Amino acid sequence: MDKQKKILPYPFIILIAALLLLGTAIVSLMLGTEALSFGRIFSVLSGQGTMLENFILFDLRLPRLLIVILAGAALVISGSLLQTLLKNDLADPGIIGINSGAGVGVAIFFLFFAAQAEAFSYLVPLAGCLGGLLTAFLIIFVSKNRPEALILNGIGFSFALSGLMVLLMSTANQEKVDFLTKWLSGSIWGTDWVYVAILAGMFIILLPFVFYHLRTLDLLTLDEYTTINLGIAVKPWRFIFMVIAVIFAAVTVSITGTITFLGLMGPHIARSIVGPKHRYFLPLAIFIGAELFLFADIIAQRIHLPTGILLSIIGSPYFIYLLLKKK
């Protein structure tokens, strides 16, 4: 670890992050219209709860909790990979058009294929993933795979796709417009166990690959000439990690709705604590992303505001700060 960044021993930092996330998760399970005490949560988890308590915990709160934690981690992984690949600290899946592409995929699916907003909802992550991947491939093609051009083209695609989504919504019936509006605000509409399984499956498949190749990610932060001389095939690896970043982001926002700036904030906070090496900052960033999303969700539910909007309110000043600092 970078000695200048070393505040505490790294295992202790990870332990603190894990305990903080665990404590926030317990608070999230306790709060709600029907409060559950700390003791009752463990009673219900051990099979000693009433029918109402079982319904509240297992059907309402626990699926949402796991989705928020997994989604926060996924968006931070996506943001970390994009910042590495594009060599730009301001990269975020919500900023460079991936979220908008996923949104158009979701909108097209509901408007032209699903009979009603809840029908075939388990296919929404697939539609969002396809929309995000298609958008990413178009951005890469237009940018001729040049990292310095990807950010600007991504921002342009983001605005264009947002306009396309508004146009699509103007042709829809009220039920579908209501659903898409809820999705755009980041209201975490998918809170069933099927979405927990989808996100967990994504992590099981992709995360071991990312962690196995953390050294490759470190090398990709170097200039292309140096990386090639070190034996790394830059373009294939860049393409592989770009696809992984898009899948993490697109599948996640298909379930949670539009979430911006989380993939920007998590990696920055982690790097400021433990330095730029991926084997140190990425595990910590995962905990930070999950914690930020969960904390924002708890606050948003108390003040009756969509979580995505609250994160945008928090993230916008941070983005401006980073922009001014970069200049």
Side-chain angles (χ1 to χ4, degrees):
M1 194 189 312
D2 189 338
K3 292 182 180 179
Q4 293 181 338
K5 296 290 184 182
K6 188 174 181 180
I7 301 172
L8 296 169
Y10 182 73
F12 190 63
I13 293 174
I14 292 295
L15 178 61
I16 291 174
L19 291 175
L20 183 61
L21 180 60
L22 177 61
T24 309
I26 292 173
V27 171
S28 176
L29 292 176
M30 291 171 60
L31 298 177
T33 307
E34 294 287 337
L36 290 177
S37 67
F38 182 80
R40 289 308 302 164
I41 288 175
F42 289 94
S43 296
V44 177
L45 289 174
S46 62
Q48 300 175 18
T50 65
M51 184 179 297
L52 177 60
E53 288 174 332
N54 286 333
F55 173 75
I56 291 172
L57 191 63
F58 291 113
D59 290 355
L60 300 179
R61 296 184 190 173
L62 193 56
R64 185 183 181 98
L65 169 69
L66 294 176
I67 285 170
V68 168
I69 289 175
L70 291 172
L75 290 173
V76 163
I77 293 170
S78 179
S80 300
L81 293 177
L82 291 172
Q83 289 169 22
T84 296
L85 299 173
L86 303 181
K87 294 183 174 64
N88 192 313
D89 293 341
L90 301 180
D92 174 89
I95 297 172
I96 66 169
I98 294 173
N99 289 2
S100 297
V104 171
V106 170
I108 291 174
F109 173 75
F110 272 121
L111 294 177
F112 300 106
F113 296 99
Q116 55 185 14
E118 281 73 29
F120 311 109
S121 58
Y122 55 88
L123 293 177
V124 170
L126 177 61
C129 186
L130 292 175
L133 285 171
L134 180 58
T135 302
F137 291 149
L138 287 173
I139 293 171
I140 292 171
F141 176 76
V142 171
S143 306
K144 301 187 187 306
N145 207 25
R146 291 178 292 121
E148 63 276 10
L150 284 168
I151 288 282
L152 291 177
N153 288 328
I155 293 172
F157 267 84
S158 180
F159 282 114
L161 291 170
S162 296
L164 176 59
M165 192 163 183
V166 172
L167 179 63
L168 290 170
M169 289 173 63
S170 68
T171 65
N173 61 45
Q174 190 59 46
E175 179 191 3
K176 294 182 178 181
V177 169
D178 289 344
F179 173 83
L180 292 173
T181 301
K182 184 179 179 181
W183 185 92
L184 281 170
S185 66
S187 295
I188 314 179
W189 70 273
T191 55
D192 295 329
W193 282 104
V194 64
Y195 301 114
V196 176
I198 290 171
L199 288 174
M202 179 179 67
F203 270 86
I204 291 170
I205 294 170
L206 297 180
L207 192 60
F209 180 87
V210 172
F211 270 63
Y212 186 76
H213 293 286
L214 291 179
R215 182 177 176 276
T216 302
L217 287 168
D218 284 334
L219 295 176
L220 288 174
T221 61
L222 305 173
D223 64 271
E224 189 167 335
Y225 179 78
T226 302
T227 306
I228 291 173
N229 284 335
L230 290 172
I232 301 297
V234 174
K235 289 185 178 180
W237 277 113
R238 188 180 290 159
F239 178 81
I240 290 169
F241 284 121
M242 179 65 75
V243 170
I244 292 174
V246 171
I247 292 173
F248 267 117
V251 170
T252 299
V253 299
S254 299
I255 294 171
T256 63
T258 300
I259 304 294
T260 54
F261 298 119
L262 188 60
L264 174 73
M265 293 187 291
H268 273 277
I269 296 171
R271 288 193 196 97
S272 69
I273 297 172
V274 298
K277 291 186 177 179
H278 286 79
R279 70 177 181 271
Y280 294 126
F281 91 78
L282 189 55
L284 179 60
I286 289 172
F287 281 107
I288 291 172
E291 173 66 30
L292 286 174
F293 201 178
L294 183 56
F295 182 75
D297 187 52
I298 292 173
I299 300 300
Q301 289 187 79
R302 304 285 80 74
I303 61 177
H304 305 291
L305 189 71
T307 307
I309 292 178
L310 181 60
L311 279 171
S312 295
I313 294 171
I314 296 170
S316 297
Y318 191 78
F319 176 75
I320 295 171
Y321 161 74
L322 291 175
L323 190 62
L324 294 174
K325 184 179 177 181
K326 194 175 179 68
K327 288 183 177 181

